[in-house]
Amino acid sequence: MTESNYDEIMQLLCDRLSGLTNSDAQITPETNMISQLSIDSIKLLNLIMEIEDTFDVSIPINALTDIHTVRELADLVHKIKSAS
């Protein structure tokens, strides 16, 4: 997977997260999705389903337990996409 694909993943995550939160916070790769954006489990699952559809990947739910920042989620998606 190329760097542009990683950038595409990051851009999609930032765009979708800004739509899921009521916060005016600027979303960066270092943004904590839970503490800074108040993303709950339902919103996170909806985001994951959209990511899976968009990038044709399957993200195991247990892989999300250690995910806190936008960058960590992008890294996970990139890793799964690269392996497929």
Side-chain angles (χ1 to χ4, degrees):
M1 178 172 277
T2 64
E3 187 67 29
S4 63
N5 288 51
Y6 182 82
D7 293 341
E8 181 183 346
I9 293 167
M10 184 64 73
Q11 187 61 50
L12 173 78
L13 291 176
C14 289
D15 290 348
R16 290 302 300 137
L17 285 167
S18 67
L20 289 174
T21 182
N22 296 328
S23 171
D24 291 332
Q26 181 180 2
I27 298 173
T28 69
E30 310 317 321
T31 301
N32 186 300
M33 295 182 292
I34 298 162
S35 66
Q36 290 178 278
L37 300 179
S38 301
I39 297 296
D40 61 19
S41 58
I42 300 297
K43 289 178 182 176
L44 181 59
L45 287 176
N46 286 334
L47 177 63
I48 294 303
M49 287 189 303
E50 184 174 339
I51 291 167
E52 289 177 332
D53 290 344
T54 301
F55 295 106
D56 194 30
V57 296
S58 180
I59 300 172
I61 296 299
N62 63 342
L64 299 174
T65 56
D66 296 327
I67 302 298
H68 301 288
T69 67
V70 178
R71 180 182 310 279
E72 291 170 344
L73 183 55
D75 289 347
L76 175 65
V77 173
H78 185 258
K79 180 176 145 187
I80 291 170
K81 181 97 174 117
S82 296
S84 62

